[in-house]
Amino acid sequence: MTAANHTMRRGQASGILLMIAGVACLSANDAIAKTLTSGYSPLQILFLRNVIALPFTLLIALVMGGPLTLRSHRPAAHLLRGALWVGATMMFFTSFIYLPLAEATALIFVAPFFITMISALFLGEAVRWRRWLAVATGFLGVLIIIRPGGATFQLISLLPVTTALVYALLMLSARWVDPRESVWTLLVYLTGAGALLSALIVPLVWVPIRLEDLWFFVGIAVFGTAGMTMMTQAFRLAPASIVAPLDYTGLPWAMLFGWLIWRESLDAMTIFGAAIIIASGLFSIFQDRNQNRV
């Protein structure tokens, strides 16, 4: 094995470990957010998460990219991305009040399918029939989980799906950012814009913070920032086709946290629907991988 191959394999191994750890951190972030929704508005949770996380994010950006990381060539693009992120996060946190953590997590996994649809229908990108088949199959999984028209159907189940749509727009909006800006710049401005925009309306829902809950807010900021940082670095160290499928390890974490904290369990149909969504997503990822090899 050559030195170059050895270095590449080490980088891929590091990327895999960082992705797994990052997903676990974001799953812990979601579990803490669900815990806090019993006493605080999702907007207040989001605001405090951003305010506490901003210094950590700035420090990470400075260490990883230097002072130029803080410079933006298109601030308006970051502000728009911040608005999308605030909207998506608020909807996702709100769904925690009514849905099991794992069910909300499974439904948000349809975001890649929305990205495919928007890219094909509005951005003029070529999408092969196999990708469309994956999209259709993924949404079949959503229908199995939410069961519209059935006795167990809840309108609130559409909230994580809407979250996935807004999240897809957030991911695609990265194209509007100046290409000279690094991923660390995007991370800083996303956190900062989220703090700024949520600060404008959080007084409407503000309630005093109980002292015993302060550590939960610190925890959600630390786990959220650590998760995003590790996942960002994972994509820098290893090919997307290798680390992207590991995002689905968030579902077992969500199931574990849901059972340990709230004794939540999923019925067989929900697990079946989630399995279809994940299988369709993996198929779509590997289709991209094979297409890039052609």
Side-chain angles (χ1 to χ4, degrees):
M1 182 185 296
T2 65
N5 287 336
H6 181 69
T7 301
M8 183 180 68
R9 286 176 178 262
R10 284 186 59 186
Q12 290 183 359
S14 298
I16 290 170
L17 291 175
L18 282 171
M19 188 68 180
I20 293 173
V23 171
C25 284
L26 287 185
S27 299
N29 169 90
D30 293 341
I32 297 172
K34 182 174 175 66
T35 300
L36 289 170
T37 55
S38 62
Y40 304 92
S41 162
L43 179 60
Q44 184 172 350
I45 298 170
L46 173 63
F47 168 72
L48 289 169
R49 180 245 182 255
N50 286 329
V51 168
I52 298 171
L54 188 55
F56 296 106
T57 307
L58 285 168
L59 179 61
I60 292 169
L62 288 171
V63 171
M64 299 299 296
L68 289 179
T69 306
L70 305 183
R71 180 184 177 186
S72 172
H73 299 276
R74 295 177 185 171
H78 292 291
L79 194 62
L80 177 59
R81 298 188 78 242
L84 290 171
W85 190 57
V86 167
T89 307
M90 279 188 59
M91 287 189 290
F92 195 43
F93 285 180
T94 301
S95 71
F96 292 161
I97 302 173
Y98 307 98
L99 298 175
L101 182 62
E103 182 175 336
T105 301
L107 289 171
I108 204 172
F109 282 147
V110 299
F113 304 128
F114 280 124
I115 292 175
T116 298
M117 292 176 61
I118 295 169
S119 298
L121 298 177
F122 299 102
L123 301 180
E125 294 187 5
V127 176
R128 297 182 178 182
W129 68 269
R130 292 183 181 86
R131 289 283 301 279
W132 283 117
L133 178 62
V135 169
T137 306
F139 283 110
L140 174 62
V142 171
L143 293 177
I144 291 174
I145 293 175
I146 65 177
R147 279 158 274 183
T152 59
F153 172 69
Q154 301 179 73
L155 193 60
I156 199 69
S157 297
L158 297 177
L159 204 53
V161 181
T162 308
T163 301
L165 173 59
V166 179
Y167 183 75
L169 293 173
L170 173 62
M171 293 297 99
L172 291 171
S173 69
R175 302 182 184 189
W176 304 333
V177 176
D178 192 288
R180 291 171 291 179
E181 298 178 17
S182 71
V183 292
W184 307 114
T185 305
L186 269 67
L187 186 62
V188 167
Y189 278 87
L190 190 64
T191 305
L196 174 63
L197 293 172
S198 57
L200 298 177
I201 50 178
V202 75
L204 300 175
V205 297
W206 186 269
V207 297
I209 300 172
R210 296 186 294 269
L211 186 61
E212 61 269 24
D213 292 336
L214 186 59
W215 290 109
F216 284 106
F217 285 105
V218 173
I220 197 173
V222 171
F223 279 113
T225 304
M228 292 175 67
T229 302
M230 286 189 283
M231 291 174 68
T232 298
Q233 190 67 1
F235 278 96
R236 291 163 63 93
L237 292 174
S241 59
I242 292 178
V243 296
L246 298 173
D247 191 29
Y248 293 112
T249 59
L251 185 58
W253 280 113
M255 294 175 68
L256 178 62
F257 285 132
W259 184 81
L260 287 176
I261 302 172
W262 301 282
R263 288 297 185 267
E264 295 174 346
S265 60
L266 301 180
D267 58 39
M269 289 297 288
T270 300
I271 294 174
F272 180 53
I276 289 177
I277 293 173
I278 292 174
S280 302
L282 292 174
F283 176 81
S284 184
I285 290 170
F286 289 119
Q287 278 295 119
D288 283 343
R289 181 181 182 180
N290 293 333
Q291 185 174 334
N292 290 336
R293 286 179 173 177
V294 176

